[in-house]
Every structure is written in structure tokens, then in C-alpha cells.
Amino acid sequence: MRLTTKGRFAVTAMIDLALRQHGGPVTLSAISQRQNISLSYLEQLFGKLRRHELVDSMRGPGGGYSLAKLARNVTVADIIYAVDEPLDATDCAGKQDCNRGNDGKAGKCMTHELWSTLNRKMVEYLDSVSLQDLVDQQRMRELHESTKSVLVDRRCGTQPAETTAAL
């Protein structure tokens, strides 16, 4: 069991959107280029996200998408469910017919409860992580990377690009 591309791409695109929406609606083509996700695939995902009221769309020049809710009020579970991503570690999709005996009757396999518990824990965890948490993590990662870049430039005796441009 693993999260498929659909769920990973939807979460990634939503982080991108949340990071950039302060400047107005964000186009899917811009997200597509930054995240290397097919534009047509993003259109399908955002149609589902819009129907689940996680994003708003604006048409016309200057149009694009913005979050329909505050990022702190959107969980990863909300995003995953909106794009119809199955989160199920069982072989039977929770139907308890994962084991067929010699008599042909369906029943639970010996590890059904293990995988069902994993499903519950996964949902609990994904429901505890907000889009804002992921945005904050990404901002910290970008800050760390830019700080590291400045330190490397200074060790090499060169000035960072933004300092050089200002001179």
C-alpha cells in the first residue's frame, strides 16, 4: 500500500498554491511549471478540489486559483479525500472478504485487524497535519537553503546575488 501520484501531486500543488496566493490567484500553468506536474492532470485534480470547496477559481485575465479556506483549516486528509485517493492498507478495501476458505466463503484474513488499525492511524495522522503546517515547513526549508547559500558564498569570497545586484 502506498499513496499514489494523485494524492502526492494534490498535496504538493496545494502547498504551492498556499505559498503564493498572497499575490492573487495562482494559475495552474505556473504550478505545473514549478512542480513539474502535467497541466491537464492539475486541471483534473483542481476540479475535484473545487467541488470539495478547498479551492476557489477565478476566470479571465488575472484569474487562477486561491484557497477557499484558511490553510490552517485544511488538513492533508481533506486534500487526499477530495481527489478520491484511497487510503487503505487492507486487501479487501475494508469489506472483510480478504480471505476465501476452501468452502468459498469470504472472511477476514489473519492480518486484517493489523491493516485496519494502520488505516485508522494513517487517517488520524493525516487529519492532524494542516496545510499551514506544510507551508510553514516549506518556508523554513527555503530559509535554511538560502541561509546555507549565503554562507557558502561568503566562504568563497563572493557576494550573494541579491547583494551583487544592489551594488
Side-chain angles (χ1 to χ4, degrees):
M1 182 238 27
R2 84 178 234 233
L3 191 61
T4 65
T5 304
K6 186 176 8 177
R8 290 192 326 254
F9 282 173
V11 172
T12 298
M14 288 289 281
I15 295 169
D16 188 293
L17 175 63
L19 282 166
R20 291 171 177 82
Q21 72 170 0
H22 65 279
V26 179
T27 65
L28 292 184
S29 61
I31 295 173
S32 173
Q33 289 176 342
R34 282 190 296 270
Q35 303 305 327
N36 197 25
I37 303 171
S38 155
L39 179 58
S40 61
Y41 198 62
L42 282 174
E43 288 169 346
Q44 293 172 30
L45 294 175
F46 272 72
K48 292 178 180 188
L49 293 166
R50 188 174 39 77
R51 283 189 292 280
H52 281 83
E53 301 178 347
L54 297 180
V55 297
D56 287 325
S57 63
M58 293 182 63
R59 296 178 186 237
Y65 285 87
S66 58
L67 295 178
K69 302 176 181 181
L70 296 173
R72 71 173 177 258
N73 296 333
V74 177
T75 69
V76 174
D78 294 333
I79 299 167
I80 299 296
Y81 285 123
V83 297
D84 302 322
E85 180 68 54
L87 289 174
D88 192 356
T90 65
D91 281 337
C92 63
K95 298 176 191 160
Q96 301 183 12
D97 63 353
C98 39
N99 191 28
R100 296 228 178 250
N102 290 337
D103 59 3
K105 290 184 179 178
K108 285 195 254 181
C109 64
M110 290 189 285
T111 57
H112 184 85
E113 292 307 318
L114 170 71
W115 305 126
S116 292
T117 301
L118 176 60
N119 288 346
R120 284 191 300 279
K121 297 290 184 187
M122 251 189 324
V123 171
E124 285 173 20
Y125 174 69
L126 294 176
D127 209 31
S128 75
V129 179
S130 75
L131 182 56
Q132 188 64 55
D133 295 334
L134 299 177
V135 166
D136 293 345
Q137 286 175 11
Q138 183 60 31
R139 284 190 177 131
M140 290 302 292
R141 188 176 301 118
E142 289 171 0
L143 180 63
H144 176 74
E145 289 299 317
S146 68
T147 303
K148 191 164 70 172
S149 174
V150 168
L151 291 175
V152 168
D153 287 344
R154 287 190 179 146
R155 270 191 249 139
C156 296
T158 61
Q159 293 184 359
E162 60 271 4
T163 305
T164 306
L167 295 177

